[in-house]
Amino acid sequence: MVPDTPSETTDSTDSHTGEEHTAVDTARRQLEHAVAHLDVNPNIVERLKHPTAVHEVTVPIRRDDGSLEVFTGYRAHHDSIRGPYKGGLRYHPGVTREECVGLGMWMTWKCAVMDLPFGGAKGGIVVDPKGLSDRELEQLTRRFTHEIRHVIGPNKDIPAPDMGTDAQVMSWIMDAYSIQEAETLPGVVTGKPPVIGGSFGREEAPGHSVAIITREACEYYGKSIEDATVAVQGFGSVGANAARKLDDWGATVVAVSDVNGAAYYPDGLDPHEIPSHDEEPEAVTRYDDDPISNEELLTLDVDVLVPAAIGDVITEDNADEIQADIVVEGANGPTTFAADSILAERGVQVIPDIVANAGGVTVSYFEWLQDINRRAWSLEEVQSELEAEMKTAWDEVRTEFEDRDVTWRDAAYIVALSRLTEAHTYRGLWP
Ligand code: NAD
Protein backbone atom coordinates (compact mmCIF):
# COMPACT_ATOMS: atom_id res chain seq x y z
CA MET A 1 0.00 0.00 0.00
CA VAL A 2 1.13 3.53 -0.57
CA PRO A 3 0.73 6.02 2.26
CA ASP A 4 -2.01 8.09 0.68
CA THR A 5 -4.69 7.04 3.10
CA PRO A 6 -4.31 9.52 5.93
CA SER A 7 -7.62 9.35 7.70
CA GLU A 8 -6.87 5.88 9.04
CA THR A 9 -3.84 7.27 10.75
CA THR A 10 -5.25 10.42 12.24
CA ASP A 11 -7.64 10.56 15.12
CA SER A 12 -11.16 11.18 13.92
CA THR A 13 -13.58 13.65 15.39
CA ASP A 14 -17.25 13.14 16.10
CA SER A 15 -18.83 16.01 14.16
CA HIS A 16 -21.75 16.38 16.58
CA THR A 17 -19.97 16.22 19.91
CA GLY A 18 -16.61 17.49 18.70
CA GLU A 19 -15.17 14.65 20.76
CA GLU A 20 -11.86 13.23 19.54
CA HIS A 21 -11.48 9.48 19.49
CA THR A 22 -8.46 7.38 18.65
CA ALA A 23 -8.24 3.90 17.19
CA VAL A 24 -7.68 2.55 20.68
CA ASP A 25 -10.84 4.30 21.99
CA THR A 26 -12.91 2.80 19.19
CA ALA A 27 -11.39 -0.64 19.75
CA ARG A 28 -12.19 -0.42 23.50
CA ARG A 29 -15.76 0.78 22.86
CA GLN A 30 -16.38 -2.09 20.44
CA LEU A 31 -14.98 -4.50 23.02
CA GLU A 32 -17.28 -3.15 25.75
CA HIS A 33 -20.28 -3.28 23.43
CA ALA A 34 -19.72 -6.96 22.66
CA VAL A 35 -18.87 -7.87 26.26
CA ALA A 36 -22.34 -6.75 27.32
CA HIS A 37 -23.72 -9.85 25.54
CA LEU A 38 -21.36 -12.28 27.21
CA ASP A 39 -20.96 -13.66 30.69
CA VAL A 40 -17.20 -13.14 30.93
CA ASN A 41 -14.83 -12.44 33.76
CA PRO A 42 -14.50 -8.61 33.92
CA ASN A 43 -10.86 -9.00 34.99
CA ILE A 44 -10.03 -10.61 31.66
CA VAL A 45 -11.85 -7.85 29.81
CA GLU A 46 -9.86 -5.30 31.79
CA ARG A 47 -6.65 -7.05 30.72
CA LEU A 48 -7.74 -6.99 27.06
CA LYS A 49 -8.22 -3.22 27.15
CA HIS A 50 -4.47 -2.79 27.56
CA PRO A 51 -1.47 -3.79 25.44
CA THR A 52 1.09 -6.19 26.89
CA ALA A 53 3.87 -3.83 25.84
CA VAL A 54 4.60 -1.00 23.46
CA HIS A 55 8.17 -0.86 22.21
CA GLU A 56 9.32 2.57 21.12
CA VAL A 57 12.66 2.92 19.38
CA THR A 58 14.63 5.60 17.60
CA VAL A 59 15.94 4.79 14.15
CA PRO A 60 18.88 6.87 12.93
CA ILE A 61 19.81 6.81 9.25
CA ARG A 62 22.39 8.57 7.13
CA ARG A 63 20.55 10.59 4.45
CA ASP A 64 21.91 10.71 0.91
CA ASP A 65 23.21 14.24 1.53
CA GLY A 66 25.36 12.95 4.40
CA SER A 67 23.20 14.33 7.23
CA LEU A 68 21.82 12.14 10.01
CA GLU A 69 18.08 11.90 10.64
CA VAL A 70 16.41 10.11 13.53
CA PHE A 71 12.95 8.56 13.11
CA THR A 72 10.62 7.10 15.74
CA GLY A 73 9.34 3.55 15.43
CA TYR A 74 6.85 1.48 17.43
CA ARG A 75 5.86 -2.12 17.86
CA ALA A 76 2.76 -2.55 20.01
CA HIS A 77 2.06 -6.02 21.41
CA HIS A 78 -1.55 -6.36 22.43
CA ASP A 79 -2.21 -9.99 23.39
CA SER A 80 -0.43 -13.31 22.76
CA ILE A 81 -2.50 -15.72 24.85
CA ARG A 82 -3.26 -17.88 21.77
CA GLY A 83 0.07 -17.64 19.94
CA PRO A 84 2.77 -15.29 18.62
CA TYR A 85 1.85 -11.65 18.03
CA LYS A 86 0.83 -10.91 14.43
CA GLY A 87 0.19 -7.64 12.63
CA GLY A 88 1.35 -5.12 10.07
CA LEU A 89 4.10 -2.53 10.03
CA ARG A 90 3.20 0.82 8.48
CA TYR A 91 5.47 3.62 7.32
CA HIS A 92 3.41 6.80 7.47
CA PRO A 93 3.85 10.30 8.93
CA GLY A 94 0.65 9.84 10.98
CA VAL A 95 1.78 6.71 12.86
CA THR A 96 1.28 7.12 16.62
CA ARG A 97 1.65 4.95 19.69
CA GLU A 98 -2.14 5.02 20.28
CA GLU A 99 -2.87 4.01 16.71
CA CYS A 100 -0.50 1.04 16.95
CA VAL A 101 -2.21 -0.10 20.17
CA GLY A 102 -5.73 0.24 18.69
CA LEU A 103 -4.86 -1.52 15.44
CA GLY A 104 -3.02 -4.21 17.45
CA MET A 105 -6.23 -4.84 19.42
CA TRP A 106 -8.15 -5.32 16.17
CA MET A 107 -5.54 -7.86 15.09
CA THR A 108 -6.16 -9.82 18.29
CA TRP A 109 -9.89 -10.00 17.56
CA LYS A 110 -9.28 -10.77 13.87
CA CYS A 111 -6.94 -13.69 14.59
CA ALA A 112 -9.29 -15.01 17.28
CA VAL A 113 -12.44 -14.84 15.13
CA MET A 114 -10.57 -16.73 12.40
CA ASP A 115 -9.28 -19.19 15.03
CA LEU A 116 -5.68 -18.59 13.95
CA PRO A 117 -3.01 -19.42 16.57
CA PHE A 118 -1.83 -15.82 16.75
CA GLY A 119 -2.29 -12.77 18.94
CA GLY A 120 -2.42 -9.13 17.88
CA ALA A 121 0.25 -6.52 17.22
CA LYS A 122 0.87 -3.47 15.07
CA GLY A 123 3.82 -1.20 14.51
CA GLY A 124 5.36 1.33 12.28
CA ILE A 125 7.70 4.23 11.73
CA VAL A 126 6.69 7.89 11.67
CA VAL A 127 7.98 8.61 8.17
CA ASP A 128 6.80 9.42 4.68
CA PRO A 129 8.54 6.67 2.68
CA LYS A 130 7.94 8.57 -0.58
CA GLY A 131 10.44 11.14 0.72
CA LEU A 132 13.22 8.53 1.02
CA SER A 133 15.50 7.09 -1.64
CA ASP A 134 15.59 3.29 -2.01
CA ARG A 135 18.91 3.21 -0.17
CA GLU A 136 17.53 5.30 2.70
CA LEU A 137 14.41 3.13 2.91
CA GLU A 138 16.52 -0.02 3.07
CA GLN A 139 18.78 1.45 5.77
CA LEU A 140 15.76 2.61 7.79
CA THR A 141 14.20 -0.86 7.57
CA ARG A 142 17.36 -2.74 8.49
CA ARG A 143 18.11 -0.45 11.44
CA PHE A 144 14.50 -0.64 12.67
CA THR A 145 14.69 -4.46 12.44
CA HIS A 146 17.86 -4.35 14.54
CA GLU A 147 16.18 -2.14 17.16
CA ILE A 148 13.13 -4.45 17.53
CA ARG A 149 14.87 -7.77 16.88
CA HIS A 150 14.62 -8.93 20.49
CA VAL A 151 10.81 -8.63 20.42
CA ILE A 152 10.09 -10.17 16.97
CA GLY A 153 10.72 -13.68 15.63
CA PRO A 154 8.88 -16.63 14.06
CA ASN A 155 7.66 -17.75 17.49
CA LYS A 156 7.32 -14.31 19.09
CA ASP A 157 5.94 -11.68 16.75
CA ILE A 158 5.55 -11.86 12.98
CA PRO A 159 5.18 -8.49 11.20
CA ALA A 160 3.54 -8.10 7.77
CA PRO A 161 3.10 -5.34 5.16
CA ASP A 162 0.74 -2.47 5.83
CA MET A 163 0.44 1.12 4.65
CA GLY A 164 3.73 2.26 3.08
CA THR A 165 5.45 -1.14 3.35
CA ASP A 166 5.53 -3.97 0.83
CA ALA A 167 7.16 -7.28 -0.12
CA GLN A 168 10.54 -5.56 -0.59
CA VAL A 169 10.45 -4.09 2.93
CA MET A 170 9.50 -7.52 4.32
CA SER A 171 12.44 -9.06 2.41
CA TRP A 172 14.87 -6.60 4.03
CA ILE A 173 13.42 -7.35 7.48
CA MET A 174 13.76 -11.07 6.90
CA ASP A 175 17.34 -10.61 5.68
CA ALA A 176 18.40 -8.31 8.54
CA TYR A 177 16.83 -10.58 11.16
CA SER A 178 18.29 -13.75 9.58
CA ILE A 179 21.79 -12.26 9.42
CA GLN A 180 21.63 -11.27 13.08
CA GLU A 181 20.37 -14.73 14.07
CA ALA A 182 22.96 -16.40 11.79
CA GLU A 183 20.33 -18.58 10.09
CA THR A 184 17.71 -18.02 7.38
CA LEU A 185 14.40 -17.55 9.16
CA PRO A 186 11.67 -16.72 6.60
CA GLY A 187 8.94 -17.16 9.24
CA VAL A 188 9.86 -13.86 10.94
CA VAL A 189 7.66 -11.89 8.54
CA THR A 190 4.86 -12.62 6.08
CA GLY A 191 4.04 -10.90 2.81
CA LYS A 192 7.41 -11.82 1.28
CA PRO A 193 7.94 -12.68 -2.40
CA PRO A 194 7.35 -16.45 -2.99
CA VAL A 195 10.99 -16.98 -3.99
CA ILE A 196 12.10 -16.36 -0.39
CA GLY A 197 9.23 -18.06 1.38
CA GLY A 198 6.23 -15.90 0.54
CA SER A 199 2.89 -17.50 -0.29
CA PHE A 200 1.09 -17.53 -3.59
CA GLY A 201 -2.25 -15.77 -3.30
CA ARG A 202 -1.27 -13.51 -0.36
CA GLU A 203 -1.74 -10.24 -2.25
CA GLU A 204 -5.23 -11.11 -3.48
CA ALA A 205 -6.34 -12.72 -0.20
CA PRO A 206 -8.02 -9.79 1.64
CA GLY A 207 -10.02 -8.88 -1.48
CA HIS A 208 -10.95 -12.50 -2.07
CA SER A 209 -12.16 -12.92 1.50
CA VAL A 210 -14.28 -9.77 1.07
CA ALA A 211 -15.80 -11.39 -2.04
CA ILE A 212 -16.42 -14.71 -0.26
CA ILE A 213 -18.13 -12.96 2.67
CA THR A 214 -20.19 -10.79 0.27
CA ARG A 215 -21.36 -13.94 -1.50
CA GLU A 216 -22.25 -15.68 1.78
CA ALA A 217 -24.06 -12.58 3.11
CA CYS A 218 -26.09 -12.19 -0.11
CA GLU A 219 -27.09 -15.85 0.00
CA TYR A 220 -28.04 -15.51 3.67
CA TYR A 221 -30.40 -12.66 2.82
CA GLY A 222 -31.91 -14.60 -0.07
CA LYS A 223 -30.09 -12.92 -2.95
CA SER A 224 -27.88 -14.91 -5.28
CA ILE A 225 -24.57 -13.26 -6.09
CA GLU A 226 -25.53 -13.19 -9.81
CA ASP A 227 -28.42 -10.87 -8.97
CA ALA A 228 -26.51 -8.56 -6.65
CA THR A 229 -25.39 -5.02 -7.45
CA VAL A 230 -22.21 -3.85 -5.71
CA ALA A 231 -20.40 -0.53 -5.20
CA VAL A 232 -16.76 -0.65 -4.10
CA GLN A 233 -14.94 2.32 -2.57
CA GLY A 234 -11.18 2.12 -3.15
CA PHE A 235 -9.60 0.25 -6.06
CA GLY A 236 -6.39 -0.92 -4.42
CA SER A 237 -5.30 -4.31 -3.24
CA VAL A 238 -8.53 -5.01 -1.34
CA GLY A 239 -11.09 -3.18 -3.51
CA ALA A 240 -9.85 -4.27 -6.94
CA ASN A 241 -9.42 -7.92 -5.98
CA ALA A 242 -12.85 -7.99 -4.35
CA ALA A 243 -14.55 -6.28 -7.31
CA ARG A 244 -12.89 -8.59 -9.86
CA LYS A 245 -13.75 -11.77 -7.95
CA LEU A 246 -17.37 -10.63 -7.50
CA ASP A 247 -17.56 -9.83 -11.23
CA ASP A 248 -16.17 -13.33 -11.99
CA TRP A 249 -18.98 -14.78 -9.90
CA GLY A 250 -21.63 -12.85 -11.83
CA ALA A 251 -22.31 -9.89 -9.55
CA THR A 252 -22.95 -6.51 -11.22
CA VAL A 253 -20.27 -4.08 -10.04
CA VAL A 254 -21.82 -0.69 -10.72
CA ALA A 255 -19.20 1.61 -9.17
CA VAL A 256 -15.55 1.62 -8.09
CA SER A 257 -13.48 4.55 -6.88
CA ASP A 258 -10.05 5.90 -6.11
CA VAL A 259 -9.05 8.90 -4.02
CA ASN A 260 -10.17 11.30 -6.78
CA GLY A 261 -13.69 9.99 -7.40
CA ALA A 262 -15.78 7.10 -8.65
CA ALA A 263 -16.65 5.50 -11.98
CA TYR A 264 -20.39 4.76 -11.93
CA TYR A 265 -22.19 2.68 -14.56
CA PRO A 266 -25.72 1.74 -13.40
CA ASP A 267 -25.76 -1.27 -15.76
CA GLY A 268 -22.38 -2.49 -14.54
CA LEU A 269 -18.70 -2.01 -15.39
CA ASP A 270 -15.86 -4.47 -15.94
CA PRO A 271 -13.42 -4.17 -13.02
CA HIS A 272 -10.87 -6.24 -14.96
CA GLU A 273 -10.58 -3.43 -17.50
CA ILE A 274 -9.63 -0.78 -14.95
CA PRO A 275 -6.05 -0.82 -13.62
CA SER A 276 -5.88 -1.22 -9.84
CA HIS A 277 -4.05 1.24 -7.60
CA ASP A 278 -0.92 -0.95 -7.71
CA GLU A 279 -1.05 -1.41 -11.49
CA GLU A 280 -1.59 2.28 -12.29
CA PRO A 281 -2.33 4.64 -9.38
CA GLU A 282 -5.57 6.62 -9.60
CA ALA A 283 -6.65 5.15 -12.95
CA VAL A 284 -10.34 4.93 -12.00
CA THR A 285 -11.19 8.54 -12.68
CA ARG A 286 -9.29 8.45 -15.97
CA TYR A 287 -11.54 5.53 -17.02
CA ASP A 288 -14.74 7.54 -16.57
CA ASP A 289 -15.28 10.92 -18.27
CA ASP A 290 -17.97 11.87 -15.80
CA PRO A 291 -16.97 10.52 -12.38
CA ILE A 292 -19.12 10.89 -9.28
CA SER A 293 -17.67 11.68 -5.86
CA ASN A 294 -16.66 9.15 -3.22
CA GLU A 295 -19.45 10.52 -1.01
CA GLU A 296 -22.00 9.81 -3.75
CA LEU A 297 -20.66 6.28 -4.22
CA LEU A 298 -21.29 5.53 -0.55
CA THR A 299 -24.98 6.43 -0.86
CA LEU A 300 -25.76 4.60 -4.13
CA ASP A 301 -28.84 2.39 -4.18
CA VAL A 302 -27.08 -0.99 -4.41
CA ASP A 303 -27.48 -4.34 -2.70
CA VAL A 304 -23.96 -4.33 -1.29
CA LEU A 305 -21.59 -1.50 -0.43
CA VAL A 306 -17.93 -2.41 0.07
CA PRO A 307 -15.93 0.43 1.66
CA ALA A 308 -12.37 -0.76 0.88
CA ALA A 309 -10.26 2.41 0.95
CA ILE A 310 -9.74 4.04 4.34
CA GLY A 311 -11.19 4.24 7.84
CA ASP A 312 -14.08 6.38 9.14
CA VAL A 313 -15.91 6.95 5.84
CA ILE A 314 -19.37 5.97 7.11
CA THR A 315 -20.08 8.42 9.89
CA GLU A 316 -23.12 9.78 11.68
CA ASP A 317 -23.22 12.46 8.97
CA ASN A 318 -23.96 10.03 6.13
CA ALA A 319 -25.23 6.87 7.87
CA ASP A 320 -28.85 7.91 7.30
CA GLU A 321 -28.22 8.17 3.58
CA ILE A 322 -26.66 4.75 3.04
CA GLN A 323 -29.06 2.91 0.71
CA ALA A 324 -27.26 -0.43 0.48
CA ASP A 325 -28.91 -3.37 2.25
CA ILE A 326 -25.56 -4.86 3.25
CA VAL A 327 -22.22 -3.18 4.02
CA VAL A 328 -19.20 -5.48 3.82
CA GLU A 329 -16.21 -3.76 5.43
CA GLY A 330 -13.16 -4.22 3.19
CA ALA A 331 -11.11 -1.48 4.86
CA ASN A 332 -10.21 -1.55 8.53
CA GLY A 333 -12.64 0.55 10.57
CA PRO A 334 -14.63 2.23 7.75
CA THR A 335 -17.72 2.64 9.98
CA THR A 336 -17.54 4.86 13.06
CA PHE A 337 -19.02 3.69 16.33
CA ALA A 338 -21.86 6.25 16.07
CA ALA A 339 -22.64 5.32 12.45
CA ASP A 340 -22.78 1.66 13.41
CA SER A 341 -25.72 2.29 15.76
CA ILE A 342 -27.57 4.33 13.14
CA LEU A 343 -27.14 1.61 10.52
CA ALA A 344 -28.26 -1.05 13.01
CA GLU A 345 -31.42 0.93 13.82
CA ARG A 346 -32.14 1.31 10.11
CA GLY A 347 -31.69 -2.42 9.50
CA VAL A 348 -28.61 -2.07 7.30
CA GLN A 349 -26.51 -5.18 7.89
CA VAL A 350 -22.82 -4.43 8.48
CA ILE A 351 -20.45 -7.37 8.11
CA PRO A 352 -17.37 -6.30 10.09
CA ASP A 353 -13.79 -5.90 8.90
CA ILE A 354 -12.42 -8.44 11.38
CA VAL A 355 -14.18 -11.16 9.39
CA ALA A 356 -14.54 -9.68 5.90
CA ASN A 357 -10.93 -8.72 5.19
CA ALA A 358 -9.38 -11.45 7.36
CA GLY A 359 -8.24 -13.34 4.26
CA GLY A 360 -5.01 -11.32 4.49
CA VAL A 361 -3.96 -12.57 7.89
CA THR A 362 -5.31 -16.03 7.11
CA VAL A 363 -3.02 -16.42 4.10
CA SER A 364 -0.23 -14.89 6.21
CA TYR A 365 -0.83 -17.80 8.56
CA PHE A 366 -0.55 -20.18 5.58
CA GLU A 367 2.72 -18.44 4.63
CA TRP A 368 4.07 -18.89 8.15
CA LEU A 369 3.08 -22.59 8.08
CA GLN A 370 4.86 -23.01 4.74
CA ASP A 371 7.96 -21.27 6.16
CA ILE A 372 8.25 -23.28 9.35
CA ASN A 373 7.55 -26.54 7.48
CA ARG A 374 9.83 -25.57 4.58
CA ARG A 375 7.16 -26.67 2.08
CA ALA A 376 5.44 -24.40 -0.45
CA TRP A 377 1.73 -24.71 -1.27
CA SER A 378 0.30 -24.25 -4.76
CA LEU A 379 -2.03 -21.33 -5.51
CA GLU A 380 -4.91 -23.81 -5.75
CA GLU A 381 -4.17 -25.17 -2.25
CA VAL A 382 -4.04 -21.63 -0.83
CA GLN A 383 -7.32 -20.65 -2.48
CA SER A 384 -9.20 -23.74 -1.41
CA GLU A 385 -7.90 -23.50 2.19
CA LEU A 386 -8.86 -19.82 2.28
CA GLU A 387 -12.37 -20.61 1.05
CA ALA A 388 -12.71 -23.28 3.76
CA GLU A 389 -11.41 -21.03 6.57
CA MET A 390 -13.67 -18.14 5.53
CA LYS A 391 -16.76 -20.36 5.38
CA THR A 392 -16.02 -21.82 8.80
CA ALA A 393 -15.63 -18.35 10.30
CA TRP A 394 -18.80 -17.16 8.57
CA ASP A 395 -20.79 -20.13 9.93
CA GLU A 396 -19.51 -19.52 13.48
CA VAL A 397 -20.37 -15.81 13.36
CA ARG A 398 -23.74 -16.54 11.77
CA THR A 399 -24.59 -18.96 14.60
CA GLU A 400 -23.97 -16.24 17.22
CA PHE A 401 -25.87 -13.69 15.10
CA GLU A 402 -28.92 -15.97 15.03
CA ASP A 403 -28.73 -17.33 18.58
CA ARG A 404 -28.18 -14.01 20.33
CA ASP A 405 -30.05 -11.63 18.04
CA VAL A 406 -27.13 -9.19 17.89
CA THR A 407 -25.43 -7.26 15.08
CA TRP A 408 -22.93 -9.00 12.84
CA ARG A 409 -20.15 -6.98 14.49
CA ASP A 410 -21.17 -8.06 17.96
CA ALA A 411 -21.51 -11.65 16.75
CA ALA A 412 -17.95 -11.58 15.40
CA TYR A 413 -16.63 -10.06 18.63
CA ILE A 414 -18.50 -12.68 20.65
CA VAL A 415 -16.80 -15.50 18.70
CA ALA A 416 -13.40 -13.83 19.17
CA LEU A 417 -13.89 -12.93 22.83
CA SER A 418 -15.21 -16.36 23.76
CA ARG A 419 -11.97 -17.90 22.48
CA LEU A 420 -9.79 -15.26 24.09
CA THR A 421 -11.45 -15.35 27.50
CA GLU A 422 -11.42 -19.15 27.57
CA ALA A 423 -7.71 -19.14 26.74
CA HIS A 424 -7.03 -16.52 29.43
CA THR A 425 -9.06 -18.53 31.94
CA TYR A 426 -7.08 -21.74 31.29
CA ARG A 427 -3.70 -20.03 31.33
CA GLY A 428 -4.51 -17.73 34.24
CA LEU A 429 -2.62 -14.70 35.47
CA TRP A 430 1.04 -15.08 36.38
CA PRO A 431 2.39 -14.81 39.08
P1 NAD B 1 -4.28 0.44 -1.46
O1 NAD B 1 -3.34 1.53 -1.14
O2 NAD B 1 -3.83 -0.68 -2.32
O3 NAD B 1 -5.58 1.10 -2.14
C1 NAD B 1 -6.30 2.10 -1.52
C2 NAD B 1 -7.34 2.62 -2.51
O4 NAD B 1 -8.14 3.58 -1.84
C3 NAD B 1 -6.76 3.32 -3.72
O5 NAD B 1 -7.57 3.07 -4.84
C4 NAD B 1 -6.83 4.82 -3.33
O6 NAD B 1 -6.89 5.67 -4.45
C5 NAD B 1 -8.12 4.82 -2.56
N1 NAD B 1 -8.19 5.93 -1.59
C6 NAD B 1 -7.20 6.47 -0.87
N2 NAD B 1 -7.65 7.47 -0.11
C7 NAD B 1 -8.97 7.57 -0.37
C8 NAD B 1 -9.98 8.43 0.08
N3 NAD B 1 -9.73 9.40 0.95
N4 NAD B 1 -11.24 8.23 -0.41
C9 NAD B 1 -11.50 7.27 -1.28
N5 NAD B 1 -10.56 6.43 -1.77
C10 NAD B 1 -9.32 6.59 -1.32
O7 NAD B 1 -4.86 -0.10 -0.07
P2 NAD B 1 -5.38 -1.56 0.32
O8 NAD B 1 -4.22 -2.45 0.64
O9 NAD B 1 -6.38 -2.02 -0.69
O10 NAD B 1 -6.10 -1.27 1.73
C11 NAD B 1 -7.37 -0.64 1.80
C12 NAD B 1 -7.95 -0.83 3.19
O11 NAD B 1 -8.01 -2.24 3.49
C13 NAD B 1 -7.17 -0.22 4.34
O12 NAD B 1 -8.10 0.14 5.34
C14 NAD B 1 -6.32 -1.36 4.85
O13 NAD B 1 -5.94 -1.19 6.21
C15 NAD B 1 -7.31 -2.50 4.70
N6 NAD B 1 -6.70 -3.82 4.62
C16 NAD B 1 -5.69 -4.08 3.75
C17 NAD B 1 -5.14 -5.36 3.71
C18 NAD B 1 -4.03 -5.70 2.78
O14 NAD B 1 -3.38 -6.74 2.99
N7 NAD B 1 -3.80 -4.93 1.72
C19 NAD B 1 -5.63 -6.35 4.57
C20 NAD B 1 -6.68 -6.06 5.43
C21 NAD B 1 -7.20 -4.78 5.45
Side-chain angles (χ1 to χ4, degrees):
M1 284 184 57
V2 295
D4 62 353
T5 52
S7 79
E8 243 190 337
T9 65
T10 50
D11 302 341
S12 51
T13 307
D14 186 309
S15 61
H16 287 212
T17 60
E19 191 187 321
E20 295 239 330
H21 53 91
T22 61
V24 68
D25 294 332
T26 306
R28 283 188 183 133
R29 284 160 84 172
Q30 289 173 342
L31 170 67
E32 277 161 8
H33 201 257
V35 159
H37 300 283
L38 279 175
D39 181 20
V40 292
N41 182 339
N43 294 330
I44 294 174
V45 177
E46 186 58 28
R47 182 71 193 98
L48 288 171
K49 286 183 188 168
H50 303 274
T52 315
V54 184
H55 306 280
E56 178 175 339
V57 296
T58 52
V59 192
I61 64 161
R62 181 95 45 211
R63 300 299 303 255
D64 290 341
D65 65 4
S67 64
L68 184 112
E69 190 162 347
V70 182
F71 296 90
T72 302
Y74 301 99
R75 187 67 184 166
H77 286 167
H78 174 244
D79 184 86
S80 66
I81 204 79
R82 305 181 72 245
Y85 297 103
K86 185 88 193 81
L89 272 182
R90 51 177 59 176
Y91 289 180
H92 191 283
V95 166
T96 64
R97 181 188 190 282
E98 291 288 280
E99 180 193 64
C100 292
V101 173
L103 296 176
M105 289 172 84
W106 272 320
M107 285 306 299
T108 302
W109 323 140
K110 200 180 280 192
C111 292
V113 76
M114 294 305 299
D115 207 7
L116 305 178
F118 290 138
K122 204 76 167 191
I125 302 179
V126 189
V127 61
D128 177 1
K130 283 180 181 163
L132 299 182
S133 67
D134 288 351
R135 187 201 64 79
E136 291 169 335
L137 188 64
E138 179 176 354
Q139 202 193 324
L140 181 80
T141 301
R142 289 184 182 277
R143 182 61 187 253
F144 180 54
T145 307
H146 171 76
E147 298 298 342
I148 61 168
R149 81 174 205 275
H150 57 289
V151 298
I152 61 171
N155 295 316
K156 281 187 195 166
D157 174 11
I158 305 132
D162 202 280
M163 233 183 252
T165 59
D166 57 14
Q168 177 60 76
V169 172
M170 295 305 116
S171 307
W172 288 326
I173 296 175
M174 175 216 158
D175 188 65
Y177 184 82
S178 296
I179 286 172
Q180 284 164 334
E181 295 297 313
E183 57 178 317
T184 294
L185 290 166
V188 65
V189 283
T190 56
K192 304 175 295 294
V195 71
I196 53 167
S199 180
F200 294 113
R202 168 65 184 84
E203 179 59 30
E204 306 89 321
H208 285 182
S209 69
V210 167
I212 292 167
I213 294 299
T214 301
R215 185 195 64 206
E216 296 298 312
C218 283
E219 276 169 18
Y220 184 78
Y221 286 105
K223 190 165 233 358
S224 91
I225 195 69
E226 289 92 354
D227 296 329
T229 53
V230 185
V232 181
Q233 185 187 46
F235 206 62
S237 174
V238 179
N241 283 304
R244 289 172 182 171
K245 186 58 97 182
L246 287 166
D247 178 75
D248 292 345
W249 288 340
T252 305
V253 178
V254 298
V256 299
S257 76
D258 62 27
V259 66
N260 302 315
Y264 173 46
Y265 290 81
D267 294 332
L269 52 78
D270 182 355
H272 294 274
E273 272 186 9
I274 308 175
S276 72
H277 183 76
D278 280 347
E279 291 157 357
E280 189 188 326
E282 327 315 358
V284 173
T285 32
R286 283 198 289 281
Y287 175 84
D288 189 341
D289 296 336
D290 188 21
I292 62 170
S293 69
N294 265 292
E295 291 69 34
E296 287 171 294
L297 176 144
L298 292 172
T299 58
L300 287 175
D301 187 5
V302 286
D303 297 311
V304 183
L305 172 66
V306 179
I310 56 168
D312 291 342
V313 293
I314 304 178
T315 67
E316 58 185 319
D317 291 334
N318 63 3
D320 271 324
E321 288 148 46
I322 303 293
Q323 297 192 67
D325 299 321
I326 304 170
V327 175
V328 179
E329 295 186 329
N332 286 321
T335 314
T336 66
F337 191 77
D340 224 16
S341 314
I342 298 169
L343 294 176
E345 273 164 32
R346 292 186 51 227
V348 179
Q349 307 299 329
V350 181
I351 318 294
D353 45 9
I354 61 167
V355 183
N357 69 31
V361 70
T362 303
V363 175
S364 277
Y365 167 57
F366 299 162
E367 180 174 335
W368 179 77
L369 285 179
Q370 293 170 68
D371 290 340
I372 58 177
N373 289 306
R374 297 284 201 259
R375 184 184 169 278
W377 300 6
S378 68
L379 179 60
E380 291 69 31
E381 277 174 284
V382 170
Q383 287 173 339
S384 99
E385 288 289 327
L386 176 63
E387 170 83 24
E389 297 277 350
M390 294 311 304
K391 275 168 99 168
T392 301
W394 170 260
D395 286 343
E396 285 165 343
V397 172
R398 195 200 59 221
T399 302
E400 295 297 340
F401 175 79
E402 289 172 349
D403 290 354
R404 295 179 192 261
D405 193 20
V406 290
T407 64
W408 287 99
R409 192 182 312 281
D410 280 339
Y413 271 71
I414 287 164
V415 172
L417 281 171
S418 303
R419 291 193 174 120
L420 285 161
T421 52
E422 196 181 350
H424 272 279
T425 304
Y426 273 115
R427 286 189 59 175
L429 190 64
W430 185 89

